[in-house]
Amino acid sequence: PGACPVMRALEYLARVAGLGLVVLGAFSLGHVVDTLRRRRNLPPGPFPWPLYGNFPHLVPTPHRALQRMHQQYGPLVTIWMGSRLTIVIGSPDLVKQTHKDQQERFQHRVLTDFAKISLHADEEGGKSVALAGGKYWKKSRKIFVQELMSQKFITAVSIPAMVEEIRS
């Protein structure tokens, strides 16, 4: 009853801060448990941040960050774009398997708003072979496999481009 108003205010702030820490701790623990449960049967990858996923791991140069991830985790890497699961393929043999040998299983992918914006794709994934589905996917895949994955193209164009990228 005779406590000073400043002391009461400090006690109130301490309770609110304590409650905030409990909520933050519960959220963090829930994120860790949920992430570990979801990653059980997935390829390896960096541990995602709450809400952001692995976006912080991809800055400032996403292609170099993915290259480092493939060196560390192998040809298949699991990353999270926010809460969206993404499996990144980093091996020509696996690309062939997913784009040629098992095309029917891999042609129906989710097209996120981020992917549409960042890759300048339309609603169906058009203008981006990596995101396309349906008829556009089949036609694009045929060109991709026949032309871009040919030994001639890889030797004449891809390898010199990679060497130039490494040297820069």
Side-chain angles (χ1 to χ4, degrees):
C4 137
V6 172
M7 288 303 291
R8 282 194 302 246
L10 287 175
E11 287 174 5
Y12 175 75
L13 287 174
R15 286 185 190 139
V16 169
L19 180 62
L21 286 174
V22 168
V23 168
L24 181 63
F27 175 75
S28 297
L29 180 63
H31 170 71
V32 169
V33 169
D34 184 54
T35 301
L36 290 174
R37 180 186 57 78
R38 293 170 86 181
R39 288 174 49 148
R40 250 190 321 220
N41 297 319
L42 295 173
F47 199 82
W49 289 82
L51 305 177
Y52 298 111
N54 293 113
F55 280 121
H57 296 104
L58 298 174
V59 291
T61 53
H63 63 292
R64 295 212 190 258
L66 288 171
Q67 181 183 26
R68 284 190 302 275
M69 286 181 202
H70 285 297
Q71 289 170 347
Q72 182 176 355
Y73 298 108
L76 288 176
V77 176
T78 298
I79 61 173
W80 299 83
M81 302 295 185
S83 62
R84 175 83 56 187
L85 168 67
T86 306
I87 307 293
V88 182
I89 302 172
S91 157
D93 292 334
L94 289 174
V95 170
K96 178 183 177 283
Q97 184 178 358
T98 57
H99 286 68
K100 182 179 180 186
D101 301 341
Q102 297 183 37
Q103 65 167 319
E104 296 300 320
R105 294 181 67 190
F106 291 96
Q107 76 175 1
H108 303 290
R109 294 170 306 281
V110 175
L111 189 58
T112 64
D113 291 334
F114 174 78
K116 287 182 223 170
I117 292 168
S118 64
L119 297 172
H120 309 290
D122 61 20
E123 289 299 316
E124 286 77 41
K127 300 181 190 173
S128 176
V129 176
L131 301 175
K135 292 178 184 176
Y136 186 80
W137 160 252
K138 287 182 181 180
K139 188 187 302 183
S140 301
R141 183 196 56 79
K142 184 176 180 181
I143 293 169
F144 176 78
V145 171
Q146 289 177 347
E147 301 297 329
L148 301 180
M149 294 298 286
S150 70
Q151 187 67 35
K152 180 180 172 186
F153 182 83
I154 291 171
T155 305
V157 178
S158 298
I159 292 176
M162 286 187 269
V163 168
E164 180 63 31
E165 175 68 20
I166 291 168
R167 289 182 179 159
S168 65

